[in-house]
Amino acid sequence: MPNSNAKLHSNHRGGREASRRELVSRSLQSAQHCLENQDFGTAYAHYLLVLNLAPELKTTVKETFQFTLFKWAEELDSLARIQDLFNCYEQALELYPNDEVICNSMGEHLFRMGFRDEAAGYFHKAVKLNPDFADAKENFYRVANWLVERWHFIMLNDAKRNLTYLKAIENAVHSGSKSVLDIGTGTGILSMFAKKVGASFVYACELSKTMYELARDVVAANNMEREIKLLHLKSLDIEIPKHIPERVSLVVTETVDAGLFGEGIVESLIHAWEHLLLQPK
């Protein structure tokens, strides 16, 4: 009897495997037929089925799947079916999470629709995945020109101003402020100043996805990625202990520019004072 049961189970598994292979084969044939007839939506659906049933075929059908996705996305874009377009890219990135071509294409759609900060994130990921991907690099630099305010470059090259910040942070840290929060970190320069002069714990928040990714690169290039905790958050959304373990003893920021009130910096500083900064005894 045990041998009989084992044989039944084996036959059942064999039958299921045969059915799977048959369905995959038929779906591939249907997808090819749909492509020949330029029915990209149906072809895309067939490829989704194939890749979910047979993940081992990901490499084999990758290029054809990409082509189908991009053609179907163009149709969805022309029909203003924006949510469907994004859903397709999300499905594709679940299947190919480290595909620089799909990331770059997603970024291009986002950029055309005006979502420049989000587009920059996908372009940046594509470049990270493949530093030699020329299209993604060009796209990232183009969107960065839109997003990185010109005054960032002026400030970074103002040696006198930066030295003043460094001295002020150094004085505060040497006076006992060992934990620091940098609001609107930008390139991360103030956070690195704080760590350089001896702060024990340094946290930095940045709302812009582009500037957050830039800060990560700059901090890593200075070998401080393990010493500075970067948060892609608005300072008003920082919670203790969810994001930082406890109140800090020093808050720094250089977001004071022409957008002082429009950027909500006053509200950010009030929030930091009430909720994130250690109160004097």
Side-chain angles (χ1 to χ4, degrees):
M1 183 67 74
N3 290 336
S4 177
N5 288 337
K7 186 175 181 179
L8 285 173
H9 284 303
S10 178
N11 290 339
H12 183 62
R13 285 196 301 271
R16 284 190 300 179
E17 178 60 21
S19 297
R20 183 187 73 90
R21 288 198 299 266
E22 177 67 19
L23 182 55
V24 168
S25 177
R26 288 185 179 182
S27 294
L28 283 172
Q29 292 174 10
S30 296
Q32 187 59 43
H33 179 73
C34 290
L35 285 178
E36 291 170 358
N37 290 286
Q38 297 189 347
D39 183 359
F40 300 114
T42 307
Y44 175 76
H46 280 299
Y47 277 119
L48 282 183
L49 179 61
V50 168
L51 290 168
N52 278 287
L53 286 174
E56 66 274 12
L57 294 179
K58 282 184 179 181
T59 303
T60 304
V61 304
K62 180 179 177 179
E63 289 188 8
T64 310
F65 175 76
Q66 288 174 341
F67 172 80
T68 306
L69 168 67
F70 300 155
K71 286 295 186 181
W72 179 225
E74 287 176 7
E75 282 192 25
L76 292 173
D77 194 6
S78 68
L79 296 169
R81 291 171 57 184
I82 306 306
Q83 189 57 56
D84 288 336
L85 185 154
F86 288 150
N87 288 343
C88 286
Y89 273 97
E90 287 174 2
Q91 291 167 337
L93 287 169
E94 285 181 5
L95 293 166
Y96 296 96
N98 296 316
D99 188 289
E100 69 274 19
V101 178
I102 295 176
C103 286
N104 183 64
S105 181
M106 175 67 156
E108 289 175 338
H109 281 288
L110 287 165
F111 184 78
R112 284 196 295 271
M113 293 173 192
F115 301 106
R116 291 170 181 154
D117 201 29
E118 292 82 355
Y122 282 97
F123 294 145
H124 184 267
K125 181 178 180 181
V127 174
K128 283 287 191 182
L129 290 167
N130 181 1
D132 296 323
F133 190 5
D135 287 349
K137 286 198 289 188
E138 181 180 345
N139 284 333
F140 180 69
Y141 294 143
R142 178 174 52 145
V143 74
N145 283 332
W146 283 90
L147 293 171
V148 180
E149 300 288 351
R150 290 295 175 265
W151 50 263
H152 273 288
F153 302 109
I154 297 171
M155 289 194 305
L156 288 173
N157 287 286
D158 187 342
K160 183 178 179 181
R161 181 179 187 278
N162 292 335
L163 182 59
T164 301
Y165 265 107
L166 176 59
K167 290 295 184 183
I169 293 172
E170 183 177 28
N171 289 339
V173 171
H174 289 178
S175 296
S177 298
K178 295 300 184 181
S179 56
V180 181
L181 171 64
D182 180 7
I183 295 177
T185 192
T187 58
I189 187 170
L190 297 189
S191 296
M192 290 188 291
F193 282 172
K195 198 64 196 176
K196 181 179 179 181
V197 300
S200 302
F201 305 100
V202 180
Y203 312 98
C205 65
E206 175 56 57
L207 181 59
S208 165
K209 177 68 172 175
T210 304
M211 295 307 299
Y212 167 73
E213 295 290 356
L214 179 60
R216 288 183 61 187
D217 287 346
V218 172
V219 168
N222 285 274
N223 298 314
M224 293 186 180
E225 66 269 29
R226 294 184 178 180
E227 301 175 356
I228 298 173
K229 182 176 182 179
L230 288 165
L231 303 167
H232 180 214
L233 283 174
K234 193 174 183 179
S235 62
L236 294 171
D237 295 329
I238 295 177
E239 299 177 14
I240 297 172
K242 182 178 179 181
H243 301 114
I244 61 177
E246 57 188 3
R247 287 174 178 256
V248 297
S249 51
L250 177 66
V251 171
V252 297
T253 184
E254 57 176 345
T255 51
V256 181
D257 67 281
L260 174 62
F261 295 100
E263 293 295 327
I265 187 60
V266 173
E267 291 85 351
S268 296
L269 293 176
I270 291 173
H271 175 78
W273 172 261
E274 294 179 344
H275 301 286
L276 306 175
L277 188 65
L278 285 170
Q279 298 298 311
K281 296 180 180 180

